Amino acid sequence: MKPASDLSRRSFLQAGALGAAGLAAGGARIAWAQGKTDAKRGGTLVVRSGPIRGIDPHLETWNATLQVVHQTYNALLKFNHDGTKIQPDLAESWEQKDDLTYVFHLKPGVKFHNVPPVNGRELTSEDVKYSIERQMTNQPGKFQHAYFFLDKLASIQTPDKYTIVFKTREPYAPFLNYIASPWTVIVAREVVEKHGDLQRHAIGTGPFIMQEYRRDQEAVFVKNPAYFKKGLPYLDEVRLQYVIDPVAATAAFRGQQTDISYLEFADVPSIKAAKIHVADITTMFPIVLRTRPYDDQRPNKPPFIEKKVRQAIQAAIRGEEFIEVVRSGWGITMTGPVPTYRKPWALPASARPEYDLKKAKRLLAEAGYASGFETELIVGSPGDNVKSAQVVKDQLAKVGIQVNLKPMEMAQYYNKSYSYDYSMSVHTALTGEEPEEAFRPYYGANATYYRWGNKEIHRLIDEQAKILDQKKRVDMVHQIQRLLLDDAPNVFLYCPIAHYGVQPWVKNYVVPINAYDQRYEEIWLDGKKA
C-alpha cells in the first residue's frame, strides 16, 4: 500500500514535546534484544554512507558527515534518540542562573583519543571555549552553523578546567537546543592548528578512533579503549562504505555485505518481502523551490523582484505531484518552512497556499508578464532533485513560464548556491530540533544558505529568539512563516520519507530522525553472518 502525504503515514515516528522548548521530533529503537544485559561485544558494523563532502563538523551540513562526527566526537549536551529531551554528554550537569547565564560542569577525566597531536590528554573547559568560538566564526559559506552563537554571546568564561560559563547578550531561547545540536561538538585546538581544518582528520573524545579515511571510498573506526562512558562501545570496529550507485548499494545489502543501508524507495517492497526490516523515516530535509536571492549587496532583478510573480509561481505549484512523481508517494506535503509534523511550531495545513492556475495567470498579468517569461533553474545532480526540477518545469509551463533546466555536479552547484547569484533552484533545505533552524539561516539578516532582504522578516526572526515564553514564541514563529508565504521567496514542496534497511543481527539500533542521530556506540551484533 502506498503511503499518503500526511503525518499519519510516518512509520516508526512518534511525536513528543521537548521540555520547556516544546520541540517535536521522532524516532524509534529497534530492539530485538530485551536490554543491555543481552549485549554482545565485538564485531564489525558495516554501514552504507555517502555521498560526502567533508568531515569537519563546524564546516559541513551533510547528514553523512555525522556518521563520522558521532563516532569520533562528543558535545556538552545531546538530544535523546527520539529528539524529545536534552541529555548530558560531556557535561556532568548544567544550570541556567538567570535569563542570560548558563553554567556547565564537565565530567572529569574525559580523554581525547590517544593519537597525535593530543595523545590522550584530558578534555578541559578551554577546549569547549575554543570549539564554540571556532564554530561561530563569521565566514559565510564556510562555518555553516555560525548563526548558532555568532553575535549572541557576551562572553565565555572558564573559571576552572571543568567549568564553563556562557553569558548571552540578550535572552536567547534557542541556546540550549544549539548547544545540544549534533554539530556543536568539542574539538581540540592542536588538531586544527596542525592540519588547518578537520576535513581529513577526526580526533575527539568519541567512542571510536578513526583509523583510515578515504573520501568517497571508506572510513574505518576502531573501538576507543579509554571511552568515558563505561562499557561502551560494544563494537570493535565500524566501517562506513561510500557507495553512491543505488544499484550497487542495494546489491551489497541483499548480499549481506552491509548491515545498515539507506535504501532507494523503489527497492523497499522487495527488501521487505525478504523479511528484512525497513524503517520508514520522515526526514527534516524539506525540498524547496527558490527564487533569486537578494540582499543589500545583491539587488533583486526582474522578474523576481515583483512579488506577484513570486506569488504566481507559488500558486502554480502543486506539492502533491512531487510526492507522487518523484517519490512514488513517500513524502509529506509542506505548508511553511517548518516541517508539517513539527508541532507546535509548524503552521496548520489550512495556511497552505492554494494551488490555483487561474490565480497564477492573473498575478502574472498584473505584474506585467501576461505572456510569461523565460528563466533558468539550477539543480544539483545526481539525485531526486533533478526529477523535482523537471516537475517544476512542467508545472510552470502551464502558466507560460519557460524553465531551462541546468543540472550541475554537486560541488559546482553548491559553489553557485553560496554565491547567491542564480535565478531559481530546487534545493534540499535543512531544519533541526530548534525551530528557527528552518528560517534563520535562510531568511535572517545574516543568513548563511540563502539571502532574502525583507527587513521586517529579519526583525521578527531576531525578536522571536528573545522570547522565553513558549506560547508567545510559537505565535511569532507562525507569524514569520505567514509573512514568508506572503512574500513567497521560496515554494515549500515536500519532505521526503527515507528508508533504512537493517539486517536482523543488528541490535539496539536507533532509527534516526532527520538522519542526524548517527551514534553507533550502543549497537551490538548477534548472529551476524560470518
Side-chain angles (χ1 to χ4, degrees):
M1 183 174 68
K2 182 183 294 187
S5 54
D6 60 28
L7 177 63
S8 65
R9 313 306 292 266
R10 295 186 290 116
S11 304
F12 299 93
L13 204 59
Q14 302 298 323
L18 175 60
L23 298 178
R29 182 183 299 274
I30 299 175
W32 288 287
Q34 295 303 308
K36 292 184 179 180
T37 55
D38 298 324
K40 295 186 177 181
R41 299 190 177 277
T44 297
L45 181 76
V46 182
V47 182
R48 178 202 174 185
S49 186
I52 195 165
R53 183 171 54 191
I55 61 173
D56 190 319
H58 298 157
L59 304 186
E60 296 299 332
T61 59
W62 289 28
N63 61 344
T65 296
L66 290 174
Q67 290 180 311
V68 173
V69 170
H70 283 166
Q71 311 328 313
T72 53
Y73 298 102
N74 296 94
L76 281 176
L77 305 176
K78 65 176 183 178
F79 286 98
N80 69 341
H81 293 306
D82 63 8
T84 59
K85 295 179 182 178
I86 288 177
Q87 298 177 324
D89 197 6
L90 292 170
E92 187 171 59
S93 63
W94 72 95
E95 57 187 325
Q96 184 174 353
K97 291 285 190 180
D98 53 47
D99 284 353
L100 306 180
T101 308
Y102 301 80
V103 181
F104 293 83
H105 302 281
L106 291 174
K107 296 173 181 176
V110 175
K111 302 290 182 66
F112 281 104
H113 296 157
N114 191 18
V115 296
V118 285
N119 299 312
R121 74 162 174 84
E122 188 177 19
L123 173 95
T124 73
S125 57
E126 289 296 330
D127 295 304
V128 177
K129 184 175 188 293
Y130 170 77
S131 298
I132 301 299
E133 289 177 342
R134 178 178 189 260
Q135 186 182 28
M136 64 184 191
T137 303
N138 189 13
Q139 294 184 32
K142 185 175 182 182
F143 288 87
Q144 304 288 10
H145 309 284
Y147 66 91
F148 285 6
F149 307 111
L150 184 64
D151 298 327
K152 303 299 190 301
L153 300 182
S155 65
I156 306 175
Q157 302 168 3
T158 54
D160 61 59
K161 72 175 184 176
Y162 298 127
T163 305
I164 309 101
V165 181
F166 295 93
K167 287 187 177 293
T168 60
R169 295 181 185 274
E170 299 175 286
Y172 187 41
F175 178 75
L176 285 178
N177 294 332
Y178 284 150
I179 286 289
S181 165
W183 300 105
T184 307
V185 295
I186 308 306
V187 305
R189 179 192 296 269
E190 303 99 302
V191 183
V192 177
E193 290 179 346
K194 179 177 180 179
H195 299 291
D197 60 31
L198 302 173
Q199 291 291 37
R200 299 196 62 82
H201 301 85
I203 301 172
T205 58
F208 296 95
I209 300 170
M210 180 181 280
Q211 189 176 59
E212 184 178 5
Y213 174 61
R214 292 177 292 154
R215 182 180 172 182
D216 295 332
Q217 296 183 55
E218 188 176 48
V220 181
F221 309 83
V222 296
K223 180 177 182 176
N224 177 9
Y227 191 43
F228 67 94
K229 297 181 184 179
K230 187 176 180 180
L232 296 178
Y234 297 120
L235 298 164
D236 286 337
E237 185 179 60
V238 172
R239 288 181 174 265
L240 304 179
Q241 295 183 345
Y242 298 107
V243 184
I244 310 302
D245 178 19
V247 175
T250 300
F253 185 72
R254 291 183 192 279
Q256 300 185 348
Q257 297 169 21
T258 52
D259 303 314
I260 299 172
S261 181
Y262 174 81
L263 301 174
E264 302 300 318
F265 60 83
D267 295 322
V268 169
S270 61
I271 295 291
K272 287 183 175 179
K275 307 299 183 183
I276 297 174
H277 184 82
V278 177
D280 307 324
I281 308 300
T282 303
T283 71
M284 294 196 291
F285 299 144
I287 310 303
V288 300
L289 171 63
R290 292 172 163 179
T291 66
R292 178 180 293 278
Y294 86 99
D295 56 19
D296 290 341
Q297 287 73 46
R298 305 166 186 83
N300 208 341
K301 298 178 182 179
F304 303 104
I305 194 171
E306 298 292 340
K307 181 176 178 178
K308 287 186 177 180
V309 167
R310 303 191 303 269
Q311 290 176 331
I313 291 171
Q314 183 174 254
I317 295 296
R318 188 174 78 87
E320 290 82 359
E321 186 174 345
F322 293 85
I323 299 171
E324 295 161 3
V325 173
V326 180
R327 300 291 302 180
S328 296
W330 293 102
I332 64 170
T333 53
M334 296 282 289
T335 299
V338 177
T340 309
Y341 58 88
R342 298 290 322 287
K343 309 298 183 184
W345 308 101
L347 287 172
S350 59
R352 185 176 303 141
E354 183 181 10
Y355 170 64
D356 188 334
L357 293 180
K358 290 183 179 180
K359 177 182 178 181
K361 292 177 180 178
R362 173 176 58 78
L363 288 168
L364 285 173
E366 291 174 358
Y369 294 92
S371 299
F373 58 88
E374 184 175 351
T375 189
E376 181 181 82
L377 186 154
I378 64 171
V379 61
S381 177
D384 285 346
N385 283 0
V386 177
K387 299 177 185 177
S388 293
Q390 182 62 53
V391 176
V392 168
K393 177 178 180 175
D394 295 343
Q395 291 190 353
L396 293 186
K398 295 176 182 178
V399 296
I401 299 174
Q402 179 181 334
V403 173
N404 300 318
L405 297 186
K406 186 177 180 180
M408 308 172 76
E409 187 273 332
M410 282 296 182
Q412 183 187 13
Y413 169 78
Y414 277 100
N415 288 337
K416 184 72 171 176
S417 182
Y418 289 133
S419 74
Y420 314 113
D421 183 20
Y422 54 88
S423 295
M424 299 181 73
S425 75
V426 170
H427 192 83
T428 301
L430 303 173
T431 63
E433 311 296 358
E434 166 53 44
E436 75 160 27
E437 285 190 79
F439 47 79
R440 179 179 289 281
Y442 299 96
Y443 317 105
N446 297 305
T448 304
Y449 309 138
Y450 180 75
R451 297 295 171 93
W452 193 248
N454 187 320
K455 289 182 168 49
E456 175 61 10
I457 291 176
H458 296 173
R459 185 186 70 81
L460 291 175
I461 288 174
D462 289 341
E463 286 301 312
Q464 61 80 32
K466 303 173 188 176
I467 301 174
L468 300 183
D469 181 282
Q470 180 187 316
K471 185 179 184 303
K472 292 180 180 178
R473 188 177 179 220
V474 167
D475 289 343
M476 186 167 285
V477 167
H478 285 188
Q479 181 183 354
I480 292 166
Q481 293 181 84
R482 291 180 189 277
L483 282 175
L484 285 168
L485 292 179
D486 179 68
D487 216 18
N490 293 176
V491 182
F492 306 100
L493 303 178
Y494 69 98
C495 275
I497 294 176
H499 310 279
Y500 288 83
V502 185
Q503 300 285 10
W505 52 76
V506 177
K507 306 299 181 181
N508 211 40
Y509 174 57
V510 178
V511 178
I513 171 78
N514 211 16
Y516 271 6
D517 190 339
Q518 301 284 355
R519 296 173 176 89
Y520 303 144
E521 63 187 44
E522 296 183 8
I523 288 178
W524 69 84
L525 305 177
D526 187 3
K528 179 178 179 179
K529 178 179 178 290

